[in-house]
Amino acid sequence: MGKKVTVVGAGFYGSTTAQRLAEYDIFDTVVITDIIEGKPEGLALDLNQSRPIEGFETKIVGLTTGKNGEGYEGIEGSDVVVITAGLPRKPGMSRMDLLETNAKIVRQVAENVAKYAPNAVVIVVSNPLDEMTALAQIATQFPKQRVLGQAGMLDTARFSNFVAEALNVPVASVRTLTLGSHGDTMVPVPSQSTVDGKPLREVMSHEQIEELVVRTRNGGAEVVALLKTGSAYFAPSAAAARMAKAVATDSGEVMPVCAWVDGEYGISGVYLGVEAEIGREGVRRVVTTPLDDDEIASLKAAAEAVRAKQGDVANL
């Protein structure tokens, strides 16, 4: 059987993710769905016509879906489903402002995924991320390791990029890490961050690091404020596509993702940004990274903040 991946939502994020997944040329089929009639079919037609130029064979299929699940039968057999559906932020909005609106959308999508692709690994990217990941697991009733969220990959990439720019070094020489939530309780981890193998704290002052930590935490809002319509999608889609690739290839790569935490770091029963080994079954295991006392305290605070909100989504 050939591999199949579905991207739900054909906005900028979804369409860019579908393009990246197709260009990897590791899937037989990339399905892109949307509720706007004809949009996913049009994007699929356009993407397929890029195949002779870019030299990939993956077939892209567009599907318009209806309010009552019409069209979802086309996702049958998907190994991975990336859920991008939902409204993006507008300037001045927090991720939490989207909670109720996007909860309805994500619940409906997740129920259809469970019905038509019951063996898929689900990667959630809809905001507010940590809450929508928890909701997708509740709605699908999938084992918790098969539902994960994309946040840490993106936040870590933003942190690394800011460090590289500040020091005027290649991005490849920078290693950073962010854990916690995708939002106000994000936990960038300077103790695990290096530049050319040297600890970040040896090459940057505490004040400089703190400035970049704050900028990373507000990374999405900074893009939203500049764009004025819509939110970031190039870097987020790169992160989601890499996660889907790790699942499809059963790679065992360790990535910062939103995963179910059950005892690690002394935290239990919550979806939270941690490092995890990713493979065919989703999260193979959560990888506990050595953290300093402040970082552990921040991670526990993030867990409690997220836990309070995740408790609410079950009723949305």
Side-chain angles (χ1 to χ4, degrees):
M1 279 291 285
K3 289 193 172 66
K4 181 173 179 178
V5 59
T6 292
V7 180
V8 179
F12 286 128
Y13 195 146
S15 56
T16 312
T17 303
Q19 178 189 358
R20 293 186 191 280
L21 290 168
E23 288 179 355
Y24 286 155
D25 212 16
I26 60 168
F27 297 97
D28 280 2
T29 311
V30 174
V31 177
I32 184 164
T33 78
D34 205 273
I35 55 168
I36 299 173
E37 191 175 344
K39 185 178 184 182
E41 290 86 349
L43 288 169
L45 187 59
D46 191 11
L47 281 165
N48 280 321
Q49 290 164 4
S50 75
R51 295 190 304 160
I53 301 167
E54 281 299 308
F56 64 91
E57 294 295 338
T58 300
K59 189 86 196 304
I60 302 100
V61 176
L63 294 173
T64 300
T65 55
K67 286 269 188 289
N68 301 311
E70 303 91 339
Y72 273 100
E73 61 277 1
I75 77 169
E76 198 170 349
S78 295
D79 300 283
V80 190
V81 176
V82 182
I83 301 179
T84 78
L87 300 184
R89 286 198 280 172
K90 294 186 173 72
M93 284 178 85
S94 76
R95 292 183 178 95
M96 290 311 295
D97 291 337
L98 299 171
L99 182 62
E100 285 197 26
T101 307
N102 283 354
K104 291 184 181 71
I105 298 168
V106 169
R107 179 180 282 281
Q108 192 243 357
V109 170
E111 286 170 353
N112 281 298
V113 170
K115 185 173 177 183
Y116 292 105
N119 299 313
V121 170
V122 176
I123 297 170
V124 180
V125 302
S126 309
N127 273 319
L129 187 278
D130 306 277
E131 291 73 23
M132 292 302 103
T133 305
L135 177 62
Q137 191 279 322
I138 291 164
T140 55
Q141 291 292 294
F142 284 1
K144 293 186 172 75
Q145 80 268 15
R146 277 210 279 129
V147 181
L148 57 159
Q150 188 290 109
M153 287 276 287
L154 170 62
D155 297 328
T156 297
R158 285 174 170 158
F159 193 18
S160 292
N161 183 60
F162 294 149
V163 169
E165 286 187 341
L167 295 174
N168 197 22
V169 297
V171 289
S173 67
V174 179
R175 292 275 174 278
T176 67
L177 180 61
T178 62
L179 304 173
S181 81
H182 190 46
D184 297 339
T185 50
M186 189 185 301
V187 184
V189 184
S191 74
Q192 288 295 316
S193 303
T194 60
V195 179
D196 281 322
K198 292 193 190 92
L200 184 61
R201 287 169 172 152
E202 284 181 19
V203 293
M204 291 186 106
S205 70
H206 176 74
E207 291 71 28
Q208 280 177 302
I209 292 171
E210 195 50 40
E211 197 178 303
L212 296 187
V213 162
V214 171
R215 193 176 177 197
T216 300
R217 203 169 277 139
N218 298 325
E222 185 178 355
V223 174
V224 169
L226 289 165
L227 290 177
K228 297 176 184 64
T229 54
S231 51
Y233 57 92
F234 286 121
S237 68
R242 284 284 165 171
M243 286 169 63
K245 184 180 183 182
V247 172
T249 59
D250 199 27
S251 73
E253 281 173 80
V254 174
M255 300 174 158
V257 300
C258 179
W260 185 256
V261 178
D262 207 10
E264 297 84 2
Y265 301 107
I267 298 167
S268 285
V270 69
Y271 269 101
L272 189 65
V274 289
E275 285 196 287
E277 191 180 296
I278 307 300
R280 191 174 291 116
E281 288 301 306
V283 174
R284 288 184 188 170
R285 66 185 182 98
V286 170
V287 176
T288 48
T289 312
L291 304 177
D292 66 27
D293 291 347
D294 285 351
E295 291 161 352
I296 286 273
S298 296
L299 192 61
K300 287 185 171 172
E304 291 320 306
V306 169
R307 188 194 307 281
K309 297 189 189 87
Q310 284 180 6
D312 298 339
V313 297
N315 306 313
L316 292 176

